[in-house]
Amino acid sequence: MPKLKDRADRAIDEAIGRRIKLRRVILNLSQEAVAKELGITFQQLQKYENGSNRLVASRLYRLAFVLKTSAEYFFADLDLPQDAAFERDDSAVLDERTSRLSIKLMRAFARIHDPRIRRSLVNLVDEMAKSETDASDLDEG
């Protein structure tokens, strides 16, 4: 049975890998193109994306540069508990985030430069999602 630390580390590697893939797809970059910029094979990038290989800090920093983001991006929303037993399945979230419509929406959002418009759009989507949740709660009750 794997140690708790090993499972937690694996979950973090997988979460960072999903963020790498998400950012690469949003930018419409192939694995080959990103790998070439990093001086690695696309198979190595695949291993980073699926979390089977761990990134060293220098490579993560370089990857952030190639993907036009900050290193902090890869850790955003990383809410994994520390030193506690847990099981986590983000496959549904990953499927939603990588759907064609989601990617199209994210690309369009990235082209909006006015922070007020971006904030208004986020607020609108939040309200729409909230009303969806509220409506489903009423249906069940």
Side-chain angles (χ1 to χ4, degrees):
M1 180 170 167
K3 294 180 193 171
L4 179 60
K5 183 179 180 196
D6 295 339
R7 288 194 332 222
D9 289 348
R10 173 80 179 176
I12 292 168
D13 293 338
E14 289 171 351
I16 290 170
R18 284 190 298 273
R19 298 288 291 192
I20 293 167
K21 182 176 181 177
L22 178 63
R23 182 68 183 169
R24 179 182 59 77
V25 170
I26 288 170
L27 294 175
N28 203 24
L29 296 172
S30 68
Q31 286 179 329
E32 292 83 5
V34 173
K36 183 177 179 183
E37 286 291 319
L38 294 173
I40 62 174
T41 65
F42 80 91
Q43 292 94 337
Q44 182 65 39
L45 183 62
Q46 281 178 329
K47 290 177 182 180
Y48 292 148
E49 287 184 356
N50 69 29
S52 62
N53 279 15
R54 182 163 297 147
L55 281 153
V56 296
S58 58
R59 176 124 331 128
L60 186 64
Y61 184 82
R62 177 75 178 136
L63 189 56
F65 178 79
V66 170
L67 295 177
K68 299 177 177 131
T69 191
S70 66
E72 292 84 11
Y73 164 82
F74 301 110
F75 300 96
D77 303 323
L78 194 63
D79 60 347
L80 301 172
Q82 301 211 358
D83 300 321
F86 65 92
E87 294 294 323
R88 183 172 175 153
D89 181 11
D90 285 338
S91 58
V93 173
L94 182 60
D95 290 342
E96 291 169 8
R97 287 185 176 168
T98 57
S99 71
R100 291 177 192 244
L101 286 175
S102 296
I103 292 168
K104 185 175 179 179
L105 180 63
M106 286 185 280
R107 285 180 180 154
F109 185 80
R111 291 192 309 266
I112 300 170
H113 298 291
D114 185 327
R116 292 172 303 177
I117 294 173
R118 289 173 70 104
R119 173 54 43 206
S120 295
L121 185 56
V122 168
N123 290 340
L124 173 65
V125 172
D126 279 343
E127 286 300 315
M128 292 171 73
K130 184 179 173 186
S131 71
E132 281 280 319
T133 303
D134 293 346
S136 68
D137 289 346
L138 290 175
D139 290 341
E140 292 175 7

